[in-house]
Amino acid sequence: MSAPTARPRSGAKPALASDAKTCAICGKPRDQRYDPFCSKRCADVDLHRWLKGSYVIPGGESSQTQRDSEDEE
Ligand SMILES: [Zn+2]
């Protein structure tokens, strides 16, 4: 006999929050695995950006790190 009361309208979460869970690279919905990115690809992109911006390799070796992003899990 206990009818469920109507949900309180107050306290409704904002549909469009400022902290949208979107990829920082392409803007797609994030994936928990690769948070805050949507995929390893985007995570890799950001990583490379970071590395390029931070790592300054003196001398200049012609051997670049070969990293194929084929290992998808
Ligand atoms: Zn992405």
Side-chain angles (χ1 to χ4, degrees), residues 6-31:
R7 295 178 186 175
R9 289 186 180 179
S10 59
K13 294 180 182 177
L16 295 174
S18 55
D19 59 332
K21 302 286 185 180
T22 51
C23 176
I25 301 298
C26 67
K28 289 181 181 179
R30 292 181 185 179
D31 191 309

Side-chain angles (χ1 to χ4, degrees), residues 60-65:
E61 280 187 87
S62 59
S63 61
Q64 286 188 335
T65 50

Side-chain angles (χ1 to χ4, degrees), residues 23-55:
C23 176
I25 301 298
C26 67
K28 289 181 181 179
R30 292 181 185 179
D31 191 309
Q32 274 191 323
R33 284 183 178 181
Y34 310 105
D35 188 80
F37 309 104
C38 69
S39 62
K40 186 185 177 186
R41 195 173 186 174
C42 284
D44 233 39
V45 171
D46 185 76
L47 179 65
H48 278 277
R49 286 183 183 177
W50 189 85
L51 289 175
K52 283 186 178 181
S54 298
Y55 274 79

